[in-house]
């Protein structure tokens, strides 16, 4: 006798609305740090390199969880895993909202990073409880609200920080997340787990987490020059050992978190390198621009507060939000290579131009718009091109590898920008010299331009 098939329970607008509010509040929580980073550095008495750790901590968790969130939802049920993750995010937000020092804030940010799993899990839920057409509309609503939350976070970070305190930037969105999670728990029915023989690659998750954390700490401590040579060598060795261990585990795993064997394909290897290089350049921009906005106005800077910084960064946030959809369309219309080349060229020109001319706030704002749009469109074109180039059964593996690469590139770029500013900081004033910003912009431009060389080499290799 066959087991009867149980039809999934349909959900209504209230359940989709609860998912949307949750996405909106998560997007807000994710985006409050960027405009407030100079404020956090002053309040906590930390260097730009340590400030970059605050901005990167959330991304580190996201880079680790991105490839496994969907697998966890399929294995244990999307609703159950979503509630687990939101409990962790809430704990991280409350910890950051009461953090007295940098270590507590970093732990809070790391816990908040599991929010990256909310979107794929929300998509799993609406697909299982709605028809195909309805699920597409619901996915669009949830994704749009998450993006809108990013814009809101950029706007409200300053007023909240100045009207209350910087801790409330994290606490207020977290309270909304808790309320939305309760609503999801009440309105969303359980979804049955999907049978799967593939194990979750927990050793790979742990090793990648350790590698990224160790890399960030190494960039701060080793480049700071405060460590004795033997201690610096030990830190570098630890990073290399963790990275090597992760590669070995991923190559031997039956169901790896990130299938590194995909890199053996020339097209995939090229997309991986280009995504990494472009993301490094954009990560440097993300770190450098708020710092320059906040630099004292009696020198080369503008002396702006968090609210003003948020307003000037807002157009860039909007450009980044729309660039993904436009990047996919442009890749279909003109081809991924043309979109990538255009994005790289725009980024390189914008950064070199900013190194030469940065005496008006609008120049920085325009540069953020250009680089955010170029980075989003370029990496999306690479994702779209890769997804169409590989076999259908490998689409998930290939795209997850590029998503992780994109996040890691932004992490490395932001940390590198922080290190450059820290190295150029005046010990007496605690303010980076103008030359440090110029160096950072030139480095970002040259890194972006190097991707054009990579494209040229690959094209010549294909012809040969």
């Amino acid at each position: 006798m066959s087991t009867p098939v149980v039809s999934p329970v349909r959900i209504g607008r209230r359940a989709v609305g609860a998912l949307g509010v949750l996405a909106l509040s998560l997007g807000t929580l994710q985006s409050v740090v960027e405009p407030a980073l100079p404020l956090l550095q002053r309040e906590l008495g930390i260097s730009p390199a340590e400030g970059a750790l605050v901005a990167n901590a959330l991304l580190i968790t996201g880079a680790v969880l991105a490839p496994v969130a969907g697998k966890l939802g399929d294995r244990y049920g999307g609703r159950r895993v979503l509630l687990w993750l939101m409990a962790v995010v809430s704990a991280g937000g409350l910890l950051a909202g009461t953090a007295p020092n940098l270590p507590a804030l970093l732990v809070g940010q790391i816990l908040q990073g599991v929010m990256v799993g909310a979107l794929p899990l929300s998509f799993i839920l609406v697909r299982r409880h709605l028809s195909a057409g309805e699920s597409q509309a619901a996915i669009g609503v949830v994704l749009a609200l998450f993006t809108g939350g990013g814009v809101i976070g950029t706007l409200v970070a300053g007023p909240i920080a100045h009207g209350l305190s910087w801790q409330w930037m994290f606490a207020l969105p977290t309270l909304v997340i808790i309320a939305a999670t309760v609503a999801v728990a009440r309105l969303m029915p359980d979804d049955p787990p999907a049978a799967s023989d593939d194990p979750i690659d927990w050793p790979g998750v742990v090793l990648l987490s350790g590698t990224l954390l160790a890399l960030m700490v190494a960039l701060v401590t080793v480049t700071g020059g405060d460590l004795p040579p033997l201690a610096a060598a030990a830190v570098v060795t630890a990073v290399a050992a963790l990275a090597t261990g992760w590669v070995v585990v991923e190559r031997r795993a039956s169901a790896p978190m990130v299938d590194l064997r995909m890199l053996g394909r020339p097209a995939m290897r090229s997309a991986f390198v280009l995504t990494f290089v472009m993301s490094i350049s954009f990560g440097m921009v993300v770190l450098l621009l708020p710092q320059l906005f906040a630099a004292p106005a009696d020198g080369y800077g503008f002396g702006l507060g968090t609210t003003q910084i948020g307003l000037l960064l807002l157009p860039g946030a909007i450009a980044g939000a729309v660039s993904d959809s436009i990047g996919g369309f442009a890749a279909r219309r003109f081809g991924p290579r043309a979109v990538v080349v255009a994005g790289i060229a725009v980024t390189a020109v914008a950064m070199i131009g900013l190194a030469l001319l940065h005496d008006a706030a609008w120049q920085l704002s325009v540069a953020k718009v250009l680089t955010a749009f170029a980075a989003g469109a370029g990496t999306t074109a690479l994702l779209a091109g890769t997804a169409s180039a590989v076999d259908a059964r490998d689409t998930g593996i290939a795209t997850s590898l590029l998503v992780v690469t994109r996040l890691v590139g932004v992490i490395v770029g932001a940390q590198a920008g922080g290190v450059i500013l820290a190295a150029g900081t005046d010990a007496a004033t605690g303010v980076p010299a103008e030359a440090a910003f110029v160096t950072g912009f030139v480095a970002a431009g040259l890194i972006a331009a190097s991707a054009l060389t990579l494209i040229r080499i690959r094209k010549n290799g294909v012809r040969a």
Side-chain angles (χ1 to χ4, degrees), residues 44 47-48 96 176 205 207 235 333 368 376 385 405 453:
L44 297 171
S47 70
V176 180
V205 171
L207 282 170
V235 172
R333 178 67 177 83
K368 179 60 186 295
T405 302
T453 304

Side-chain angles (χ1 to χ4, degrees), residues 164-176:
L164 298 171
S165 71
W166 65 263
Q167 286 92 345
W168 282 102
M169 296 188 313
F170 303 101
L172 287 179
T174 301
L175 295 177
V176 180

Side-chain angles (χ1 to χ4, degrees), residues 15 20 27 59 87 89 94 96 146 180 234 240 261 275 279 350 365 411 451:
L59 296 178
V89 171
L94 294 176
F146 181 79
R261 289 168 292 190
T275 299
S279 300
S365 185
I411 291 169

Side-chain angles (χ1 to χ4, degrees), residues 30-54:
Q30 182 189 43
S31 60
V32 294
V33 168
E34 184 182 355
L37 196 53
L39 171 66
L40 292 174
Q41 290 170 197
R42 291 195 303 269
E43 293 288 331
L44 297 171
I46 58 178
S47 70
E50 292 169 322
L53 280 175
V54 176

